Amino acid sequence: MPSVNAVSVMLSLKEKDRPIVRKLLCAGCCVRCVLRFCCVGTSSAYRRSSQDLHKELLAFISEENSPESHDASGEEKSSDAPPNKRMRTDEDSVTAAQTDSDICPVCLGVLQDFCDPTFAKQVSDAVKKQQYEFDSLVLTVSLPAQMSVREHSCWLHVKKEVREKSMCLGKEDVIQVKDAFKWAVQGKIGQELGAAVVANSPCEVSVGFIHPETQEDCHFLANACPDCFKPTKNKASIFTRMAVVKALEKISEEKFSRHYPCPPKKANTRCTALDTTCLHTSVFIAGRYNKFSRELPQTPWVIDGERRMDGSVEELIAAPLLSSFRADGFNFSSSGREDVDVRTLGNGRPFAVELLNPHRTKFSRTEIKHLQETINQSSDKIRVRDLQIVTRDATSRMKEGEEEKTKTYSALIWTEKAIDSPDLEFLANIKDLRIAQKTPLRVLHRRPLAVRQRLIHSMSTIYLDKHHFTLKLCTQAGTYIKEFVHGDFGRTKPNLCDLMKTDADILELDVESVDIDWPPAIPD
């Protein structure tokens, strides 16, 4: 059996820990929970087998290694000395109270069987089946809320011993179950997957546990601290871990002890492990698109639950991306949007696609270029350029100062009154025309009612015939061009009808340029 000094060095235990170790083992706690409450922060200690730890803890509190086995000078007493009856009784009670097969009343088995290589391989195999691509991962652990109650109960049990020995030990010094579990298994999981397990990684592997047998452990807290437990729409139970922790901080030790035993009662069953899940942070793809069709909406066009047109810009772009990145879904955003009957020409409109939970994330420039070609070959209605992977933060630049940006349009205009070329010349002299636009009737169902001030920076014209001309406009982003032309029953003032003193309407509209220097251009 190892000497007390050897055990102390291996497990970082000190003389002051001896009564705590004895008390916890007598209460049936597992060896890793004993280390936690002794504030052992050496991760390697938790990776050792339960059997080895159990033997060493027994050696640590045994009669041979106790202070009573040394005389006042520090020398060992003669081996002929009779054994100390109290110490022998304590060791027997420890052995009777806790064996390797018992279920720990505090961690409910999480730090026992689930810390062995078999469970680590089970987690690793589940991750491999989901076929993620990663170099590193972060391991997250969710535990039953009632485990916090049991932890608090055990802490109060130990605290009494700490007070009696005039030792300084705070609850915040106790190693958390989550940390102990990670220290025990994450090295094995990383080895199985050939990846580093780190504190921060885009790939998250989640392991969860439930323990139905002890679900009612928290219920007394709802009566003791009702303010801590409030129903929420997204939670199936009011007894969330955060609510329980908050209540435990609020309840007095005396009140807690009246309602819950210290130490906690032993359980008949171990925790059940939930399915291992993986989640990769989103990947963002940016670029610029041209739309050449007047029968293609930017996003799926659904009215009263019925789809009106097949396809959309976002679907044509996202479909190849979803397939290549093996993502679960996507979110599409762009710098403004055009109507279904409006083309987007010139250098295109900036867009970004957030790919949700992608299983593949590494692409070379050549592969991204090939992906761009795949999108462009899938339809003649759109074309994409400058396709690239960007950061989440970079996408915010697409929206920054959006209303201060300018956009250029080309519109085919019809006038009721016959016109000649000189009738249009005055429009070119109008600069920075300020207009007030009440939310257009056609978008009032999805936009709040408001009056927006906008600028028409400049206009120019190309005469076509007595009732038609082309109007070129450079405007502040967010300007409703159709409404500026026909007036929208007076909701836009002034408008082109007012300026030309005749009824006018817009027959075709094209976006010629969106003046946002994002994303960076990629040379062909």
Side-chain angles (χ1 to χ4, degrees):
M1 187 173 290
S3 68
V4 64
N5 289 335
V7 174
S8 299
V9 171
M10 287 186 286
L11 298 181
S12 303
L13 295 173
K14 299 178 176 60
E15 182 63 34
K16 67 180 180 61
D17 296 319
R18 197 184 312 279
I20 298 176
V21 173
R22 188 179 299 115
K23 201 172 186 72
L24 291 172
L25 289 178
C26 284
C29 294
C30 72
V31 290
R32 292 187 178 90
C33 276
V34 172
L35 297 184
R36 292 194 306 109
F37 278 91
C38 289
C39 306
V40 175
T42 308
S43 60
S44 58
Y46 296 86
R47 292 196 290 270
R48 301 183 62 187
S49 71
S50 296
Q51 293 80 3
D52 286 348
L53 290 173
H54 194 255
K55 289 177 184 176
E56 293 181 13
L57 289 177
L58 287 179
F60 181 60
I61 62 168
S62 68
E63 177 186 15
E64 295 81 19
N65 299 317
S66 69
E68 288 85 350
S69 64
H70 294 76
D71 59 25
S73 66
E75 297 293 327
E76 283 194 16
K77 292 180 180 179
S78 168
S79 59
D80 295 331
N84 182 286
K85 184 179 291 186
R86 184 180 68 81
M87 289 300 298
R88 178 57 63 190
T89 301
D90 281 351
E91 185 178 353
D92 290 342
S93 64
V94 166
T95 305
Q98 208 274 349
T99 65
D100 291 342
S101 61
D102 288 335
I103 299 168
C104 176
V106 183
C107 73
L108 300 172
V110 169
L111 297 180
Q112 293 174 291
D113 292 347
F114 294 109
C115 287
D116 64 19
T118 303
F119 184 69
K121 188 174 189 309
Q122 179 182 322
V123 171
S124 303
D125 289 344
V127 174
K128 289 176 183 177
K129 285 181 181 178
Q130 297 179 57
Q131 297 182 323
Y132 280 83
E133 179 186 80
F134 53 83
D135 295 321
S136 65
L137 61 94
V138 59
L139 181 65
T140 63
V141 183
S142 62
L143 301 171
Q146 60 266 32
M147 197 176 288
S148 296
V149 176
R150 291 177 164 263
E151 181 98 348
H152 190 71
S153 167
C154 194
W155 161 246
L156 294 182
H157 179 60
V158 171
K159 190 175 181 180
K160 182 180 178 183
E161 186 76 35
V162 169
R163 281 174 177 166
E164 290 175 356
K165 298 292 188 291
S166 299
M167 292 185 288
C168 182
L169 180 66
K171 186 178 179 182
E172 64 278 2
D173 297 321
V174 176
I175 304 300
Q176 297 296 304
V177 174
K178 287 183 180 181
D179 292 331
F181 176 76
K182 290 178 184 178
W183 289 343
V185 303
Q186 65 185 13
K188 302 182 184 78
I189 293 173
Q191 190 173 5
E192 286 281 344
L193 295 174
V197 183
V198 294
N200 290 294
S201 171
C203 187
E204 177 183 292
V205 175
S206 297
V207 178
F209 299 92
I210 58 172
H211 196 261
E213 180 191 343
T214 59
Q215 277 182 341
E216 295 184 0
D217 280 10
C218 304
H219 290 190
F220 77 94
L221 290 172
N223 293 324
C225 306
D227 293 345
C228 298
F229 300 94
K230 296 179 180 179
T232 58
K233 293 181 180 179
N234 299 326
K235 301 291 184 181
S237 170
I238 61 172
F239 297 104
T240 62
R241 190 187 69 83
M242 292 302 295
V244 169
V245 169
K246 186 177 179 181
L248 291 173
E249 291 174 349
K250 190 174 182 180
I251 193 170
S252 67
E253 294 180 11
E254 186 271 334
K255 195 171 186 179
F256 180 93
S257 300
R258 284 206 314 266
H259 291 88
Y260 199 86
C262 299
K265 292 180 180 178
K266 291 187 177 181
N268 297 314
T269 58
R270 280 179 168 75
C271 278
T272 300
L274 301 173
D275 290 340
T276 298
T277 60
C278 297
L279 183 66
H280 200 289
T281 55
S282 297
V283 170
F284 293 83
I285 306 295
R288 301 178 81 102
Y289 75 80
N290 294 113
K291 180 167 86 78
F292 305 119
S293 171
R294 298 194 188 278
E295 296 181 345
L296 183 69
Q298 187 193 68
T299 57
W301 192 5
V302 179
I303 300 177
D304 296 329
E306 182 179 345
R307 184 155 185 160
R308 294 303 176 93
M309 288 188 173
D310 293 332
S312 64
V313 172
E314 74 166 34
E315 290 169 304
L316 289 172
I317 293 174
L321 297 177
L322 282 172
S323 176
S324 297
F325 283 80
R326 291 188 280 125
D328 290 349
F330 72 94
N331 291 317
F332 183 90
S333 59
S334 63
S335 178
R337 59 186 296 144
E338 66 284 313
D339 291 337
V340 61
D341 58 347
V342 175
R343 298 185 303 179
T344 298
L345 308 176
N347 62 352
R349 185 186 297 278
F351 71 89
V353 180
E354 178 186 9
L355 295 167
L356 306 174
N357 193 25
H359 288 51
R360 184 189 173 194
T361 58
K362 293 182 179 179
F363 287 79
S364 66
R365 285 188 178 183
T366 301
E367 288 175 314
I368 292 294
K369 186 174 181 181
H370 178 70
L371 196 49
Q372 177 175 293
E373 292 171 357
T374 300
I375 295 171
N376 291 337
Q377 291 170 5
S378 66
S379 173
D380 58 1
K381 296 180 179 181
I382 66 165
R383 183 170 181 82
V384 169
R385 59 182 292 180
D386 300 330
L387 196 69
Q388 57 196 277
I389 296 177
V390 297
T391 64
R392 179 188 292 271
D393 291 341
T395 61
S396 64
R397 288 160 54 190
M398 183 174 66
K399 298 291 185 179
E400 284 177 2
E402 192 173 59
E403 291 191 356
E404 281 68 47
K405 302 295 183 181
T406 59
K407 296 184 180 180
T408 305
Y409 300 88
S410 176
L412 175 60
I413 307 297
W414 166 86
T415 61
E416 182 182 46
K417 183 178 70 176
I419 57 172
D420 292 317
S421 183
D423 296 327
L424 304 175
E425 292 176 356
F426 79 100
L427 292 174
N429 297 322
I430 299 175
K431 305 295 182 185
D432 293 330
L433 174 67
R434 187 173 297 277
I435 64 174
Q437 293 196 300
K438 190 177 289 187
T439 304
L441 293 173
R442 64 187 174 90
V443 299
L444 198 54
H445 65 285
R446 56 185 171 87
R447 294 282 176 88
L449 179 61
V451 177
R452 297 169 179 83
Q453 302 294 323
R454 294 290 185 265
L455 284 175
I456 308 294
H457 294 295
S458 63
M459 291 181 280
S460 63
T461 60
I462 300 175
Y463 179 79
L464 299 177
D465 60 41
K466 289 189 177 296
H467 291 280
H468 299 89
F469 69 95
T470 298
L471 177 66
K472 303 275 188 178
L473 307 96
C474 178
T475 75
Q476 180 183 354
T479 303
Y480 291 105
I481 304 301
K482 292 178 179 178
E483 282 67 27
F484 169 68
V485 172
H486 58 62
D488 197 24
F489 303 101
R491 297 170 71 85
T492 291
K493 288 184 175 294
N495 53 63
L496 189 64
C497 295
D498 295 336
L499 297 175
M500 296 189 66
K501 295 180 173 49
T502 180
D503 284 345
D505 204 353
I506 188 167
L507 302 182
E508 291 181 351
L509 179 63
D510 293 328
V511 180
E512 296 287 354
S513 71
V514 179
D515 301 324
I516 297 176
D517 188 20
W518 189 89
I522 296 177
D524 293 333

